[in-house]
Amino acid sequence: MLAVFLREPLAGSFCPLEPSTTFDHPAAWPVERLLAQCEVTRKRGSGPGGQHRNKVETAVVVEHTPSGIRGEASERRSQEENRKVALFRLRLKLAVDWPLEETTGPLEQTSPLWTSRTRGGKISVNSEHPDFPALLAEAFCWLRQSDWDAAGTAPQLGCSTSQLVKFLKQYPPAFARLNVERASLGHSPLK
């Protein structure tokens, strides 16, 4: 299970979407824009946790209504903390499961966010960081453009192939999706 870094970006802080960037993906949207397309429901948590968990609606489900993709959290005692975790999980799922053809046009250059996270051929971000879903979504868009060829995509992203694969392995569903897409095109799976 992913532990989630619960800090949200401060108002006015760097946002992955800047006007000069053509990359437009729900996993990279500011919280307000994403929540405008979501339905948030609260429910009682199930499982161990005592009276507080079973009597108070602290579990949160955030569903992106256009796609039906959902993020859920119930392991925290606070509804607000569960909302943040559910939103982070929704962003991760959107990064991997969003229909790639709905992402804005072909990418010609990496976003300022991606550029800020690559140095010397390495990608520097932890899977628990709030930027991780946006970076994952961008990597997927680049991979799609190159027919899921990691070796061909890595130089465009300013990193090595092994760094790109290591980055994708931080979120196992992303790495699994990469191999499914590669198999559908007759490419061998990455290990």
Side-chain angles (χ1 to χ4, degrees):
M1 178 170 68
L2 290 173
V4 178
F5 189 80
L6 292 175
R7 180 185 63 83
E8 288 191 33
L10 299 172
S13 67
F14 176 77
C15 172
L17 286 178
E18 294 188 355
S20 63
T21 303
T22 59
F23 181 67
D24 186 26
H25 193 287
W29 290 349
V31 172
E32 300 80 26
R33 182 176 176 196
L34 180 58
L35 284 175
Q37 290 191 357
C38 292
E39 182 178 321
V40 179
T41 55
R42 289 153 182 85
K43 61 183 184 178
R44 289 184 184 164
S46 61
Q51 285 184 332
H52 180 78
R53 184 172 196 171
N54 296 325
K55 288 187 176 180
V56 180
E57 291 184 344
T58 57
V60 176
V61 178
V62 181
E63 181 175 349
H64 183 248
T65 48
S67 65
I69 298 171
R70 302 163 44 130
E72 300 182 30
S74 64
E75 62 272 11
R76 307 260 199 279
R77 290 182 64 140
S78 159
Q79 189 178 83
E80 180 58 22
E81 286 180 9
N82 281 331
R83 186 191 70 83
K84 290 176 184 179
V85 173
L87 190 58
F88 185 82
R89 289 177 179 159
L90 172 66
R91 287 179 184 277
L92 286 172
K93 288 180 179 182
L94 284 168
V96 174
D97 297 332
W98 178 255
L100 294 170
E101 58 277 354
E102 293 191 30
T103 305
T104 304
L107 300 175
E108 296 175 11
Q109 64 183 28
T110 57
S111 70
L113 177 62
W114 186 274
T115 304
S116 73
R117 292 299 189 154
T118 52
R119 300 256 190 296
K122 294 185 177 185
I123 306 167
S124 176
V125 67
N126 185 301
S127 64
E128 298 170 6
H129 193 279
D131 291 342
F132 184 78
L135 294 166
L136 185 61
E138 186 169 354
F140 259 59
C141 290
W142 281 98
L143 283 161
R144 181 203 66 209
Q145 279 186 191
S146 66
D147 289 331
W148 304 97
D149 177 21
T153 302
Q156 295 173 319
L157 292 173
C159 64
S160 67
T161 304
S162 62
Q163 278 291 302
L164 180 56
V165 169
K166 182 179 174 184
F167 170 73
L168 295 171
K169 283 183 175 181
Q170 288 185 72
Y171 185 57
F175 188 67
R177 168 92 190 269
L178 170 65
N179 279 327
V180 165
E181 295 292 346
R182 289 176 57 82
S184 73
L185 295 171
H187 302 311
S188 59
L190 296 174
K191 296 181 182 186

